Amino acid sequence: EFVVINTHWELSARVDKVQKCINEEIALINTLRNRFNLPIICTGDFNSKQDSADYVRFMEEADVVETRVVARENGGLINQAGGCGNLGSMRNANSGNYIDHIYTTKDCNTLRYETLIYNYNYC
């Protein structure tokens, strides 16, 4: 058993809106952790580049890890496309600018990470 959360954080120049999204997700994760005591998987468009202040704050305060990083440490990083950019295009995984992430609580171990690079936007 586990809990899955999917999100799309605000993309805004208004810092208060972005921080509200982060605060709500941290509170949700902590509430679910305390209520169910199950691993939690968080996916979505976080509109927050890897290693940005918001990315780091979210990981620290929600006490989660990025699956891509854990898979790399475990030798299971197959490929990483970095998420979607404009419709039908992929972000460069090595650019450090992608904003789609999968986080898990630390009681969930990621053994393999692979980005599907097929274009599902036209199915």
Side-chain angles (χ1 to χ4, degrees), residues 3-113:
V3 176
V4 176
I5 302 168
N6 187 45
T7 193
H8 192 154
W9 286 0
E10 179 77 27
L11 176 59
S12 173
R14 289 189 49 193
V15 174
D16 60 322
K17 284 187 168 189
V18 175
Q19 295 306 308
K20 183 178 181 195
C21 290
I22 295 169
N23 293 339
E24 287 177 357
E25 185 113 5
I26 290 168
L28 176 61
I29 290 169
N30 289 328
T31 297
L32 292 170
R33 178 185 285 124
N34 291 333
R35 183 170 180 187
F36 297 108
N37 195 29
L38 293 170
I40 300 171
I41 302 167
C42 307
T43 68
D45 181 347
F46 290 84
N47 279 314
S48 182
K49 295 177 184 176
Q50 66 194 63
D51 301 327
S52 68
D54 291 337
Y55 172 97
V56 171
R57 177 178 165 243
F58 174 70
M59 287 185 33
E60 287 176 355
E61 292 185 27
D63 198 25
V64 295
V65 293
E66 170 114 35
T67 58
R68 172 185 48 81
V69 173
V70 176
R72 181 183 303 128
E73 292 168 356
N74 288 333
L77 182 61
I78 307 304
N79 83 41
Q80 56 177 345
C84 291
N86 294 326
L87 185 65
S89 68
M90 301 305 288
R91 294 180 187 268
N92 180 339
N94 297 316
S95 68
N97 71 349
Y98 57 95
I99 56 177
D100 302 328
H101 306 283
I102 302 172
Y103 301 99
T104 62
T105 49
K106 294 175 183 173
D107 53 354
C108 183
N109 189 20
T110 303
L111 302 176
R112 179 183 166 115
Y113 181 103

